[in-house]
Amino acid sequence: RDPSNIGKLGAGAISGAVAQTCTYPLDVLRRRFQINTMSGMGYQYSSIFDAVRRITAQEGLKGLYKGISPNLLKVAPSMAASWLSFEMTRDFILGLNPDIAEVDHF
């Protein structure tokens, strides 16, 4: 059974939020290292492991998720719209040639 458009929006939003939550600590590290390269500014870390150790020691695990709320407010709707547009386009193309839908893909 094919989910409704609301279901597809929900699936896109949830998948985007989960993916962003899993990868967000890497984004925090990337931003801090970008600031680190500016002379005399930002944080001073010697390695990725040093950065993780110091962030968690000084700020706790929450430090790796600083700023995630506004990011999720951006990512969830974006991924929901992207997922829905992909699914609607796929359904439209498959509707043009129903034989394609019957092809077994691995």
Side-chain angles (χ1 to χ4, degrees):
R1 180 173 162 301
D2 196 25
S4 68
N5 286 343
I6 297 296
K8 292 174 184 177
L9 279 171
I14 291 169
S15 68
V18 168
Q20 187 63 33
T21 301
C22 292
T23 60
Y24 196 76
L26 299 174
D27 200 38
V28 168
L29 290 171
R30 177 189 57 82
R31 279 185 268 119
R32 292 207 182 182
F33 273 97
Q34 283 176 332
I35 293 171
N36 195 20
T37 60
M38 298 177 193
S39 61
M41 295 182 69
Y43 307 94
Q44 300 299 316
Y45 304 121
S46 60
S47 69
I48 291 174
F49 299 110
D50 178 51
V52 171
R53 183 184 57 77
R54 289 176 58 186
I55 291 169
T56 54
Q58 294 170 1
E59 305 170 41
L61 198 54
K62 285 182 174 181
L64 294 173
Y65 288 93
K66 264 189 180 171
I68 194 168
S69 297
N71 198 274
L72 288 175
L73 291 174
K74 174 189 74 164
V75 167
S78 170
M79 287 303 297
S82 178
W83 187 280
L84 180 62
S85 65
F86 168 79
E87 289 288 324
M88 290 180 74
T89 303
R90 183 188 60 114
D91 292 346
F92 174 76
I93 291 171
L94 290 177
L96 293 176
N97 188 355
D99 296 334
I100 295 174
E102 295 176 14
V103 174
D104 187 25
H105 297 285
F106 299 94

